[in-house]
Amino acid sequence: MSHRSDTERQSGIARKMLSYNKRQWTENVTGKVIATVCAALLIVVVLSITYFIASKGLSTFFVNGVSITEFLTQIKWDPEGEPAIYGVFPFILGSFLVTTLAALIAAPLGIGAAIFMVELFPNFGKKVLKPVIELLVGIPSVVYGYVGLTLLVPFIREQFDVLGFSLLAGGLVLALMILPTITSVAADSIAAVPQDLRNASLALGATRWQTIWNVVLHSSLPGCLTAIVLGMARAFGEALAVQMVIGNTTKLPGSLLDPISTLTSGITLNMGNTIQGTPYNNALWSMALLLLLMSFVFIMILRIIGRKGLVNK
């Protein structure tokens, strides 16, 4: 009887193990199928968006006969003139200038705040500074633009006796917008540096600041560069906040206090006033294609920075 009961017990255990393996196999297959479908859907969406924008943007050159060289280098934008002139160089220059200015302002502030959070006062950084930064991330861009419009633009107008709508105003607003992104990513990169490196540097007689400057920042350099590039990518594609404070003129700026225009502001201001399929409308889609290509460039830069070879160096 005991032998029979042992046999039945073993067969019961075997059935349970078999049923568990079947369930596990089903769950694995289901998970793989769902993940594959999601990945394929994401690829299809990206390719569809790229194809749609490219088909619209390239019509300017292959259907309307606009020269690519003149389109990129011409400094005059007059799509409704006779003849029409489609020069987007002022928009391209404005986008790069305002993005660069924002990065130059936000990068040292963001990395400095990350060092403060992780290295100097970690408890205060986690309890106070990090929630504040997360709060800044959640603020809509229109709020930044409205604050810049009501506070920053009048301040620049009073202090420098100019219009107020300027490259400087756009750069400051964008710097405030991308500051949380740079700070968060840089803080994560600095926190990932092994504590043994800090201890070894201090044991060799280096001061705390020498350790931060020569060891921590050097080890986290790829992550800090990634943070800056991510911030610049967001700044380059921002439309509403910049549009509210830069003046939106197609003239080339002569100083930080002159008004400018960007690719995003040019598209948002003019797209609703054009007819689908006209050369004017196609030119705006070409500007959107330039923005998409710049997004790809930023992604490529991030991939290059994140390569293991660069990190090891």
Side-chain angles (χ1 to χ4, degrees):
M1 293 292 293
S2 61
H3 177 70
R4 182 177 180 181
S5 61
D6 292 340
T7 304
E8 292 177 353
R9 189 181 302 108
Q10 292 177 359
S11 61
I13 294 174
R15 284 195 301 271
K16 291 181 180 179
M17 294 180 62
L18 184 61
S19 62
Y20 174 76
N21 289 336
K22 288 182 178 179
R23 184 170 64 252
Q24 187 180 39
W25 180 83
T26 303
E27 292 176 353
N28 290 336
V29 172
T30 304
K32 290 181 180 179
V33 170
I34 294 175
T36 303
V37 170
C38 293
L41 180 61
L42 189 62
I43 294 174
V44 170
V45 170
V46 173
L47 292 178
S48 300
I49 293 175
T50 304
Y51 172 77
F52 177 77
I53 296 178
S55 62
K56 292 282 189 178
L58 294 177
S59 299
T60 303
F61 314 114
F62 296 104
V63 176
N64 305 124
V66 178
S67 172
I68 297 179
T69 304
E70 293 181 358
F71 182 79
L72 296 176
T73 60
Q74 179 66 254
I75 62 174
K76 185 177 181 181
W77 172 261
D78 188 15
E80 296 179 332
E82 291 293 339
I85 301 176
Y86 304 98
V88 298
F89 181 76
F91 299 99
I92 298 175
L93 180 63
S95 295
F96 276 103
L97 287 177
V98 74
T99 301
T100 304
L101 179 60
L104 290 175
I105 297 173
L109 293 177
I111 296 176
I115 294 174
F116 179 88
M117 288 173 55
V118 178
E119 297 294 329
L120 301 181
F121 297 94
N123 293 330
F124 177 80
K126 291 180 181 179
K127 294 180 181 180
V128 179
L129 193 56
K130 188 174 182 180
V132 171
I133 293 174
E134 293 175 350
L135 179 64
L136 290 175
V137 173
I139 297 177
S141 59
V142 65
V143 176
Y144 287 103
Y146 186 74
V147 171
L149 180 63
T150 56
L151 297 179
L152 185 58
V153 171
F155 176 80
I156 295 176
R157 182 185 302 122
E158 294 174 0
Q159 294 298 320
F160 300 100
D161 194 23
V162 292
L163 183 62
F165 296 95
S166 59
L167 169 61
L168 179 61
L172 291 174
V173 170
L174 278 184
L176 184 60
M177 289 186 61
I178 68 176
L179 182 60
T181 301
I182 296 177
T183 303
S184 299
V185 178
D188 293 338
S189 178
I190 292 174
V193 177
Q195 185 63 33
D196 292 341
L197 294 179
R198 299 179 178 87
N199 296 337
S201 177
L202 295 173
L204 291 174
T207 63
R208 191 176 188 182
W209 174 247
Q210 288 174 335
T211 300
I212 294 174
W213 181 260
N214 296 316
V215 177
V216 176
L217 285 180
H218 179 77
S219 301
S220 61
L221 181 61
C224 293
L225 292 177
T226 299
I228 296 173
V229 175
L230 282 174
M232 293 181 66
R234 184 187 178 187
F236 197 88
E238 179 57 39
L240 186 56
V242 178
Q243 175 184 325
M244 296 173 70
V245 297
I246 60 174
N248 302 298
T249 179
T250 57
K251 294 182 179 180
L252 295 178
S255 68
L256 292 176
L257 302 176
D258 290 340
I260 62 169
S261 186
T262 63
L263 289 170
T264 52
S265 64
I267 294 172
T268 54
L269 286 174
N270 299 309
M271 185 64 76
N273 301 323
T274 61
I275 301 175
Q276 189 77 14
T278 60
Y280 191 177
N281 183 266
N282 291 336
L284 296 177
W285 280 109
S286 299
M287 294 167 63
L289 180 60
L290 289 176
L291 284 173
L292 181 64
L293 294 178
M294 281 305 306
S295 299
F296 291 157
V297 170
F298 283 121
I299 293 173
M300 291 177 59
I301 294 175
L302 291 175
R303 298 282 295 179
I304 293 173
I305 293 175
R307 287 189 311 178
K308 292 183 178 180
L310 181 58
V311 174
N312 291 334
K313 292 179 181 179

